Amino acid sequence: MKKIALFIFFGTFLTTAWINGQSRELKVLFVGNSYTYGYNLPHIVSIISEETSVQLITRKSVMGGATLKQHWKGQRNLETRKIIAAGDFDVVVLQDFSMSAMTTPDTTLRYIRLFSEYIRLQGAEPCLFNTWAREKVPQFQTEIDAMYEQASLENSAVNVPVGKAWELAMDLRPTVDLFTSDGSHPNELGTMLTASLFVKMLSGELPEVLPSLYRIDDAHGETVRLMNHNPEEAEFCRRIANQIAEQHGF
């Protein structure tokens, strides 16, 4: 039952897009902290989706080190609930502080439930950002996954298993580097892998060839480079994202 609500929503949406042979838009809000905004994850998701039949229009409500509890209570000048209410979003992605799944799982579950109820009241669907274990403690991935899977079941919310994608990438290529030097945050490649999985699970597809250069134009028309990868790295991310999504029924 855990994917029923979002499957119905996306199934209707995507089927209409494919039948009409037209690109459709899906408005997505990312709620989280530096795991979400590092290397401009929401922007990368949107850029990748430009080559699919569903354009993901992304926004973010983020603060370094923020918890879902702080987002809910409006602490640290966060206005996440106001943004959700005013944004006319289709999907809201929830990402808690990276250690919360292990240190305060009951609190994480509580605020995922509160947000999920609130998000649906605003006409959107909740989606969970199942994060990765830190580089020095990969054994924690099982515990992190279990908490997000429980939250997914309890709230009928799709769980995007980013941690499993990272785990598979490191199993297939032990020398792959997805972390920044702190062993916690994603580097460019880690962000690209994460973004690829989100696009696959939110749009139902990935481009045949992922972009290797990511850039946007700012408000003044100046080009801003976000990241650049070689084609082999891009294809590696695409292959991992497809495999993980297919294992989870997408």
Side-chain angles (χ1 to χ4, degrees):
M1 292 292 292
K2 71 177 182 178
K3 302 185 193 113
I4 293 297
L6 204 51
F7 269 158
I8 292 173
F9 175 79
F10 283 140
T12 301
F13 180 87
L14 296 174
T15 299
T16 301
W18 291 330
I19 289 174
N20 292 339
Q22 296 175 346
S23 177
R24 298 286 301 277
E25 291 184 353
L26 202 65
K27 295 180 67 176
V28 182
L29 176 68
F30 282 82
V31 174
N33 49 52
S34 54
Y35 273 33
T36 288
Y37 69 70
Y39 284 102
N40 306 289
L41 173 64
H43 286 88
I44 302 303
V45 166
S46 186
I47 291 170
I48 292 174
S49 75
E50 289 175 358
E51 300 301 321
T52 73
S53 61
V54 181
Q55 173 69 55
L56 302 175
I57 308 299
T58 59
R59 285 190 58 192
K60 60 183 181 291
S61 178
V62 293
M63 176 72 68
T67 64
L68 288 179
K69 179 179 179 180
Q70 291 171 334
H71 279 283
W72 179 260
K73 291 181 173 292
Q75 297 171 348
R76 302 178 64 189
N77 296 318
L78 289 163
E79 296 186 335
T80 303
R81 289 165 69 183
K82 291 181 181 178
I83 293 170
I84 293 170
D88 190 28
F89 295 103
D90 299 298
V91 179
V92 178
V93 177
L94 302 172
Q95 179 250 314
D96 205 357
F97 182 70
S98 60
M99 298 298 290
S100 294
M102 294 169 292
T103 59
T104 56
D106 290 343
T107 300
T108 295
L109 290 168
R110 167 178 168 76
Y111 285 97
I112 287 177
R113 176 177 58 79
L114 289 171
F115 263 117
S116 295
E117 293 170 351
Y118 183 76
I119 288 163
R120 289 197 170 103
L121 284 174
Q122 311 308 318
E125 284 294 332
C127 185
L128 308 183
F129 184 162
N130 187 157
T131 53
W132 52 86
R134 296 186 177 185
E135 188 172 24
K136 292 184 178 180
V137 285
Q139 66 272 20
F140 288 168
Q141 191 63 57
T142 300
E143 192 172 349
I144 294 169
D145 291 345
M147 194 285 301
Y148 276 101
E149 287 164 6
Q150 180 181 346
S152 175
L153 283 168
E154 291 178 355
N155 297 283
S156 297
V158 165
N159 180 30
V160 179
V162 177
K164 288 186 182 299
W166 280 45
E167 196 172 50
L168 177 59
M170 290 183 282
D171 284 344
L172 293 178
R173 189 181 293 178
T175 59
V176 72
D177 185 9
L178 304 175
F179 296 91
T180 58
S181 59
D182 67 2
S184 174
H185 291 84
N187 61 17
E188 287 190 352
L189 186 60
T191 298
M192 186 177 187
L193 176 56
T194 301
S196 300
L197 184 59
F198 268 105
V199 174
K200 176 67 176 183
M201 294 188 71
L202 292 178
S203 75
E205 59 184 295
L206 276 172
E208 287 297 321
V209 178
L210 287 182
S212 55
L213 176 62
Y214 295 81
R215 56 191 178 192
I216 59 173
D217 293 334
D218 66 14
H220 304 290
E222 297 289 337
T223 298
V224 179
R225 174 195 172 279
L226 300 179
M227 66 170 62
N228 189 22
H229 293 287
N230 65 51
E232 290 78 14
E233 288 176 332
E235 176 56 25
F236 180 67
C237 290
R238 180 181 178 278
R239 180 160 58 93
I240 296 295
N242 276 325
Q243 184 170 336
I244 292 294
E246 287 165 8
Q247 288 174 1
H248 288 75
F250 282 80

